[in-house]
Amino acid sequence: MLTSVDRLLFVRRIPIFEELRDDFIVRLTSVMDELRFPANHTIFRQGEEGRSLFIVISGRIKIHIEDRQLAVFTKGESFGEMAIFDAQPRSATATTLEPCECLELTQEQLYEAIEETPEISLNIIRALSRRIRNLNEGGHGRGKEDAVTR
């Protein structure tokens, strides 16, 4: 379990939250659930309704469509953002590669955060744009596993 100070220090380094005030991050992280998953656990499946994004605290999560791996997310990275905004089903499946811990931010929590601090939406747009740009460049930059995910 992360203490509130640990959560602040950890989440402050996440690209979609890095430009936000500490007091806002403290309030936001206080409502996030901290989840633990065993290895080979499916966090969400392609086609499911997406109502939350996840931030990796520890471990590795692969994003895949059937046997085709699209991305691997590790400590300090977020995934699942797109489904929160476009109200479409998840475009891929998220499965743990090893035991993992994640913070979960629900759509409702995120929308309340955006109402209070609209800059968060710009940070998310920037993060998603970087992923799309990386994918368009053939997956170079962060590694061949980077991709856009829902």
Side-chain angles (χ1 to χ4, degrees):
M1 277 306 256
L2 295 176
T3 67
S4 57
V5 172
D6 291 337
R7 280 186 181 210
L8 167 65
L9 295 173
F10 183 76
V11 172
R12 181 194 291 155
R13 293 187 302 256
I14 309 301
I16 61 176
F17 303 111
E18 65 189 2
E19 295 174 22
L20 304 179
R21 296 183 327 266
D22 285 350
D23 62 322
F24 177 75
I25 294 173
V26 167
R27 284 197 307 279
L28 188 63
T29 58
S30 71
V31 299
M32 290 181 181
D33 286 327
E34 192 170 328
L35 308 172
R36 288 195 171 124
F37 303 108
N40 299 312
H41 176 81
T42 300
I43 298 172
F44 57 75
R45 293 186 188 284
Q46 180 181 9
E48 290 179 350
E49 179 180 11
R51 293 283 181 205
S52 57
L53 68 84
F54 298 87
I55 301 167
V56 182
I57 297 171
S58 66
R60 295 180 308 134
I61 291 105
K62 74 174 178 177
I63 306 298
H64 58 100
I65 297 174
E66 296 177 5
D67 292 334
R68 189 173 121 238
Q69 183 172 295
L70 303 174
V72 172
F73 291 98
T74 60
K75 181 179 180 176
E77 296 180 309
S78 61
F79 63 96
E81 302 94 336
M82 289 175 56
I84 288 181
F85 291 107
D86 68 6
Q88 297 294 311
R90 300 276 188 190
S91 62
T93 299
T95 304
T96 60
L97 293 169
E98 57 196 49
C100 295
E101 291 181 75
C102 295
L103 291 172
E104 180 183 28
L105 181 64
T106 68
Q107 183 180 49
E108 182 179 335
Q109 292 164 337
L110 182 62
Y111 283 9
E112 287 173 8
I114 289 171
E115 281 181 31
E116 184 179 335
T117 308
E119 301 89 69
I120 195 172
S121 59
L122 293 174
N123 292 354
I124 292 170
I125 290 167
R126 283 187 200 105
L128 293 174
S129 293
R130 281 191 294 269
R131 287 190 193 159
I132 292 168
R133 186 177 310 279
N134 188 47
L135 185 63
N136 289 343
E137 293 171 356
H140 302 293
R142 197 182 63 118
K144 67 178 187 226
E145 298 141 343
D146 200 6
V148 176
T149 61
R150 285 196 171 126

